[in-house]
Amino acid sequence: MILTVTLNMALDVTYEVPSVDWDGVNRVGAVHRRAGGKGVNVARVLATFGRDVLVTGLVGGPTGRAIEDDLEAAGLRAALCRIAGGSRTTLAVCETAGTPTTPGRQEAPTPHEGAGGRRTALFNEPGPHVTPDELAGFVRRYTSLAREADVVVLSGSLPRGVPADIYATLAGIPDAPVIVDADGDPLRHAPKGRPSVVKPNAEELARAFPGSGGAQELRSQGAEAVVVSMGADGLLAVTGEGTFRARMPYTVVGNPTGAGDALVAGLAMDQARSWPDRLRTAAALGAAAVAAPVAGAFDRDVYADIHPQIVIT
């Protein structure tokens, strides 16, 4: 069983609009609402591959009930801890103008703009306040669940009241491999729990460890391996078996929200595989997730096309 942990769960709302008029009225073409947070997105991708996955985390208030209902409707097993504070909502506004009919080979977009001017803006609420007693109750529940897990994924932002070193604490509990996907102080603290993999993106790594050598620094502090996602430039993995680079054959244009979560799902699957095989699957899933309209989904056709073309050096 793969256990995914999302302490700052959310109800993800995605608006699809032709283009955004920031000074006028915008007509939304399509609306998607579903349970989210990075660990939930990871679980959705794993479930698509038929993996046995269990979602845990913190939920509260009416939004928390909506999250629970959506997880049940999606057929995702969950063991959640309720808190007094209300869970957050996140909003992604995705422009659809210029979107290709079929995702595929496109010229590389600028950092904030896709082919034809397509852009995505994210609005993430901070989340509820968690009391010490609520956090202690979750840690007890997590400890029991983690002992039954084959792999544990700890990912996403932290709600208020949760200490920045919580991922280090949680990573040190199970004997199973632990993957941590975090930013800021939680990322800096994570190696203390000796996780199997720490997965920042390039910007997160640069913020946490200015200058070069951030991946090596994470390893020197206790992480067994560090996998850095670099968008269209692929992946860099610094491991005990050596350093690997996964290079993408072309850029996929779409909604990047959830691409890193799909990538983490690829890393969580089949731990016995070689690093090149794991990285190829992870990179292909990340690219295929960009072609899907909502986080937690991926385009199977893009995945099948791009997977064999990824070059590992």
Side-chain angles (χ1 to χ4, degrees), residues 16 194 311:
E16 293 186 9
R194 308 193 68 81
V311 176

Side-chain angles (χ1 to χ4, degrees), residues 31 44 63 97-98 100 119 167 173 177 196 201 206 235 256 258 262 265 267 287 313:
V31 180
R44 290 185 187 276
T63 302
R119 297 174 297 178
Y167 285 152
I173 290 174
S196 300
N201 63 37
L235 303 178
L267 294 175
T313 55

Side-chain angles (χ1 to χ4, degrees), residues 34-67:
R34 60 197 229 154
K38 295 181 73 64
V40 174
N41 298 335
V42 172
R44 290 185 187 276
V45 175
L46 290 169
T48 301
F49 281 90
R51 296 300 194 273
D52 179 18
V53 60
L54 179 65
V55 176
T56 190
L58 303 172
V59 292
T63 302
R65 287 191 290 273
I67 291 169

Side-chain angles (χ1 to χ4, degrees), residues 120-263:
T120 298
L122 305 179
F123 301 85
N124 294 335
E125 295 179 3
H129 183 275
V130 179
T131 69
D133 286 345
E134 288 171 335
L135 182 60
F138 169 78
V139 172
R140 288 193 296 270
R141 185 74 179 277
Y142 165 83
T143 300
S144 176
L145 296 172
R147 286 172 178 162
E148 303 298 322
D150 299 308
V151 182
V152 176
V153 176
L154 309 172
S155 57
S157 63
L158 303 180
R160 290 168 292 178
V162 175
D165 63 354
I166 187 64
Y167 285 152
T169 300
L170 299 180
I173 290 174
D175 293 328
V178 176
I179 300 172
V180 178
D181 182 4
D183 190 9
D185 285 340
L187 170 61
R188 283 186 282 268
H189 285 291
K192 299 174 186 176
R194 308 193 68 81
S196 300
V197 180
V198 174
K199 199 243 38 102
N201 63 37
E203 291 182 0
E204 292 165 346
L205 185 63
R207 282 196 297 268
F209 299 94
S212 60
Q216 291 289 1
E217 181 67 19
L218 284 169
R219 287 202 70 232
S220 70
Q221 293 181 15
E224 292 181 20
V226 178
V227 177
V228 184
S229 55
M230 301 181 292
D233 291 329
L235 303 178
L236 174 69
V238 181
T239 79
E241 300 172 23
T243 299
F244 301 89
R245 178 76 182 269
R247 300 180 185 276
M248 311 302 293
Y250 56 85
T251 298
V252 178
V253 172
N255 177 11
T257 309
D261 306 327
L263 191 159

